[in-house]
Amino acid sequence: MVKLPNGEEYPKFGIGTWHLGDRQENHQQEKEVIQYALQHGVTLIDTAEMYGNGNSEKLVGDAIQGFDRESFKLVSKVLPQNASKQRMRQSLNASLERLQTNYLDLYLLHWLGQVPLQETIEVFEELKAEGKIKAWGISNFDLEEVASLRNKADGDQNQINQVLYHLGSRGIEVALKPYMDSIGIPVMAYCPMGQGGNLNSGLQHNDTIQAIAKKHQVSEMQVILSFILHQQNTIAIPRTGNLEHMKENIAAQDIKLTSEELDRLDQAFPAPTKRVPLDIE
Ligand SMILES: NC(=O)c1ccc[n+]([C@@H]2O[C@H](COP(=O)([O-])OP(=O)(O)OC[C@H]3O[C@@H](n4cnc5c(N)ncnc54)[C@H](OP(=O)(O)O)[C@@H]3O)[C@@H](O)[C@H]2O)c1
């Protein structure tokens, strides 16, 4: 489990939903994959108003019907241009309607835009007081932005930073993650299977990954995911619309990599030695 600053415990594993809901002909299959996850111990779903212009939230809303709302956590994101006094409430209401629920566990600012952060924080806090969101956080914030948020009134209410992080893209380990660790803000790692970002070359058909996968009798993708699941204060949100892949991803939580295997992965895919720009998908 990962502890948020407000004391809430979040699972280290959740599911992403970007591109799920894009195609009507895949709706039933994707819905069943999400439902399979909820029936097999997954308690965290990530989505956003941006994904498929709301179609991902609609799919999630359809999939969660019949499940006890208190038994899982729902995260969605507001687009930066909607994160204002004038527009955020309307965005949230539309998200809640698509999701067929009356609250979000976490509402994230998708990335930093033009609306002053203080204004966004004030609306987040109002929505929290009204019970429409339990907590709020940020996404795609680099170190200086996280630090500057912290200096704003109620900036310490931020609970999480969702950023790109996978074995082939470890730039956050240089400065951002150590800083976040020092102030107790967890990472929610997006693209944890390496399906995004600029720094992911070489993950496919790599000898080290293949050897470790063979030893554990798992797939290479499961090893890639397992690397992120082994990181402290980090939650992974892999996405799949494929039932067999969902089974593999859920099972990846049980893979125990030895410190020697983690060292080999570290050597094969080292974190950069100097700060690099935050990788973004
Ligand atoms: N905050 C942000 O700006 C931001 C940006 C990007 C993503 N996200 C969030 O993070 C989530 C995860 O990121 P992502 O979807 O970009 O990338 P990802 O989870 O790293 O990779 C998803 C891809 O991996 C494939 N895959 C999944 N499990 C697999 C398995 N066991 N074996 C083989 N292939 C597998 C999927 O295809 P199949 O469907 O065929 O399995 C899909 O093509 C998103 O869905 C979204 O919720 C947030």
Side-chain angles (χ1 to χ4, degrees):
M1 295 297 253
V2 169
K3 204 172 219 169
L4 269 45
N6 64 7
E8 275 281 309
E9 296 212 313
Y10 268 57
K12 283 188 72 68
F13 179 95
I15 57 172
T17 61
W18 194 19
H19 296 305
L20 300 189
D22 281 0
R23 297 162 73 104
Q24 190 52 38
E25 64 269 31
N26 294 340
H27 184 96
Q28 188 58 25
Q29 178 184 321
E30 292 170 347
K31 174 178 158 182
E32 285 170 11
V33 172
I34 296 170
Q35 291 180 330
Y36 177 90
L38 290 172
Q39 284 155 356
H40 291 82
V42 173
T43 56
L44 172 63
I45 305 177
D46 176 77
T47 185
E49 65 172 346
M50 186 190 90
Y51 300 163
N53 267 327
N55 282 337
S56 162
E57 289 181 328
K58 276 190 197 155
L59 172 72
V60 172
D62 193 15
I64 63 177
Q65 294 317 301
F67 289 87
D68 173 10
R69 179 64 187 85
E70 300 281 304
S71 67
F72 62 91
K73 298 191 188 295
L74 201 46
V75 183
S76 193
K77 310 182 200 83
V78 60
L79 281 164
Q81 61 268 31
N82 293 336
S84 64
K85 278 230 182 286
Q86 229 186 352
R87 299 175 71 153
M88 188 165 15
R89 192 172 297 275
Q90 200 184 336
S91 265
L92 176 64
N93 286 339
S95 285
L96 293 176
E97 198 169 312
R98 288 188 289 264
L99 287 162
Q100 302 183 55
T101 187
N102 54 8
Y103 73 94
L104 292 179
D105 293 276
L106 262 177
Y107 198 29
L108 310 183
L109 173 59
H110 210 145
W111 63 90
L112 185 59
Q114 302 302 315
V115 176
L117 258 183
Q118 191 65 67
E119 179 176 336
T120 301
I121 295 171
E122 280 168 26
V123 194
F124 273 149
E125 285 296 314
E126 282 171 22
L127 296 170
K128 208 168 88 181
E130 291 163 24
K132 291 191 157 188
I133 62 172
K134 298 235 174 190
W136 58 268
I138 51 180
S139 177
N140 295 303
F141 272 45
D142 209 342
L143 192 152
E144 290 74 13
E145 295 160 350
V146 179
S148 130
L149 170 76
R150 203 161 175 77
N151 287 329
K152 310 251 181 265
D154 286 328
D156 62 353
Q157 295 302 304
N158 169 41
Q159 301 299 321
I160 209 147
N161 188 13
Q162 185 179 113
V163 288
L164 190 151
Y165 184 33
H166 60 74
L167 180 60
S169 183
R170 298 176 57 195
I172 67 164
E173 291 179 27
V174 179
L176 176 62
K177 182 153 190 307
Y179 172 65
M180 286 172 51
D181 285 345
S182 76
I183 57 171
I185 307 282
V187 167
M188 192 177 278
Y190 75 71
C191 300
M193 322 272 304
Q195 296 290 310
N198 301 315
L199 310 173
N200 62 347
S201 57
L203 277 183
Q204 307 254 321
H205 314 303
N206 173 270
D207 288 349
T208 305
I209 295 176
Q210 281 176 349
I212 294 171
K214 196 167 169 204
K215 183 162 156 258
H216 287 267
Q217 296 190 300
V218 296
S219 72
E220 292 161 48
M221 280 297 221
Q222 285 175 295
V223 173
I224 292 167
L225 176 57
S226 177
F227 175 81
I228 292 298
L229 291 170
H230 276 75
Q231 306 307 312
Q232 298 289 312
N233 300 326
T234 303
I235 297 167
I237 49 165
R239 174 251 315 180
T240 181
N242 174 303
L243 185 60
E244 290 314 308
H245 289 168
M246 181 61 82
K247 289 179 184 173
E248 285 184 9
N249 297 351
I250 291 172
Q253 295 176 87
D254 297 327
I255 301 170
K256 303 263 180 295
L257 298 176
T258 63
S259 51
E260 185 261 336
E261 287 167 338
L262 286 166
D263 285 348
R264 278 162 61 201
L265 289 171
D266 178 53
Q267 280 156 25
F269 298 94
T273 51
K274 292 195 184 115
R275 259 190 91 178
V276 290
L278 185 62
D279 203 4
I280 285 176
E281 177 64 14

